[in-house]
Amino acid sequence: MNEFSLDGKVAWVTGAAYGIGLAIARGLAKAGAKIVFNCSRQSTVDRGLEAYKALGIDAKGYVCDVTDEAAVKAMLADVEATVGTVDILVNNAGIIKRVPMEEMDVDDFRRVVDVDLVAPFICAKAVIPGMIKKGHGKIINICSMMSELGRETVSAYAAAKGGLKMLTRNICSEYGAANIQCNGIGPGYIATEQTAPLRELQPDGSRNPFDRFIISKTPAGRWGTPEDLMGPAVFLASDASDFVNGHILYVDGGILAYLGKNPIE
Ligand code: NAP
Ligand code: GCO
């Protein structure tokens, strides 16, 4: 028996056209799962479909804004009718706005909380009845370093990702008895489009100070890659983690374990 096998499972990964979501979906597909994904724009869905095709993965893509409950329900009804009941949900879609708090528009704050926290609630709420009927289910919420730490300019993101950690624990508390495991993955600093501005070279061609700061804060001495998230996602989606519930698995090269270099030396 292979307790990491996802043969015959249906996995829905939100926002999985590129970056972390695509890598997680690749990992789940390699373990045997059928993949469905969604993005809010047709152009991103098309980009994802091309990426899956190039990888030899037969994925189904939908245009669906995860903050729109009616759209999520309609998408899920189609998934159930054409692919099957969702066994694994990965709440990956997310946005960030880096703005000092006193300059941040309240609508922007609300939008970040909507996409990064309210939407995982909407998607989880939509799949839980099917999981209860099937007798099992796995929900993986993509959290962040900002589920634990704050920093300048990311107040909305930190509020949402901190909330997502607690939503994870609450889903575990409410549905553990129904054999649903809800866990989080907390990626460290991963080289994707979302973090590209933090790695942009300086006008003189030198490394971005934030880039150097992250390397110095990470015991592994590097940024993470989306592929670093594949194995942890397969573990949390598979029978191997059936007694792991309400846990946040930080995949951060050791950032949260480390006090950091002495800046005065
Ligand atoms: P990203 O650039 O944040 O990708 C986001 C994806 O989500 C895109 O496919 C996007 O497509 C989709 N999306 C955004 N808003 C959506 C909405 N309202 N409805 C449906 N889909 C939506 O990529 P990433 O850096 O790989 O991040 C993925 C997740 O990991 C996010 O939750 C992020 O917060 C988290 N994370 C990232 C890092 C990092 O260092 N990169 C670290 C920790 C956590 P559309 O634009 O078409 O909607
Ligand atoms: C930032 C980053 C982070 C990361 C990630 C860390 O501006 O500090 O974008 O928030 O993307 O979520 O885990």
Side-chain angles (χ1 to χ4, degrees):
M1 173 201 157
N2 174 6
E3 59 273 63
F4 294 99
S5 168
L6 301 178
D7 276 343
K9 308 275 184 188
V10 175
W12 171 22
V13 188
T14 68
Y18 58 89
I20 291 173
L22 176 66
I24 287 178
R26 259 175 73 196
L28 303 184
K30 204 172 152 204
K34 278 186 245 164
I35 304 298
V36 299
F37 74 100
N38 68 291
C39 302
S40 67
R41 294 170 296 166
Q42 183 69 56
S43 56
T44 326
V45 173
D46 291 344
R47 179 179 169 186
L49 289 171
E50 268 183 38
Y52 287 105
K53 199 171 158 199
L55 291 162
I57 297 168
D58 179 24
K60 187 154 188 189
Y62 292 83
V63 178
C64 170
D65 185 327
V66 282
T67 65
D68 179 343
E69 187 170 25
V72 166
K73 280 186 179 164
M75 176 190 155
L76 202 62
D78 190 82
V79 171
E80 294 215 350
T82 60
V83 188
T85 302
V86 171
D87 301 281
I88 301 155
L89 164 67
V90 183
N91 277 312
N92 167 76
I95 58 169
I96 190 167
K97 291 186 193 290
R98 299 183 184 96
V99 186
M101 190 171 149
E102 77 274 16
E103 291 165 24
M104 188 155 196
D105 193 276
V106 71
D107 287 339
D108 284 340
F109 189 97
R110 284 205 177 101
R111 182 66 189 163
V112 173
V113 172
D114 242 15
V115 177
D116 294 0
L117 175 58
V118 180
F121 159 79
I122 289 173
C123 297
K125 181 183 160 192
V127 296
I128 283 170
M131 290 178 170
I132 292 174
K133 245 190 236 158
K134 257 193 156 176
H136 70 85
K138 299 277 184 181
I139 299 173
I140 302 171
N141 292 327
I142 304 304
C143 296
S144 163
M145 293 293 89
M146 272 63 220
S147 298
E148 299 293 337
L149 302 168
R151 87 170 186 86
E152 301 77 5
T153 75
V154 296
S155 56
Y157 187 78
K161 294 291 189 179
L164 188 57
K165 172 179 71 178
M166 287 312 302
L167 178 65
T168 303
R169 292 180 180 162
N170 215 81
I171 294 172
C172 151
S173 308
E174 271 193 76
Y175 295 103
N179 195 26
I180 294 173
Q181 289 84 48
C182 180
N183 292 290
I185 291 179
Y189 278 79
I190 311 295
T192 67
E193 292 173 28
Q194 190 237 61
T195 53
L198 307 175
R199 280 173 280 109
E200 233 166 54
L201 295 178
Q202 298 288 87
D204 65 0
S206 62
R207 299 262 297 276
N208 192 307
F210 194 85
D211 178 2
R212 286 190 278 125
F213 164 65
I214 288 303
I215 304 273
S216 78
K217 277 287 290 174
T218 308
R222 65 170 176 88
W223 284 69
T225 65
E227 290 71 26
D228 286 322
L229 284 320
M230 288 168 70
V234 170
F235 168 62
L236 291 178
S238 69
D239 295 351
S241 62
D242 278 355
F243 203 53
V244 179
N245 209 351
H247 184 76
I248 310 298
L249 176 50
Y250 288 102
V251 184
D252 66 352
I255 296 179
L256 290 176
Y258 184 39
L259 186 60
K261 287 194 194 346
N262 180 351
I264 294 153
E265 271 177 2

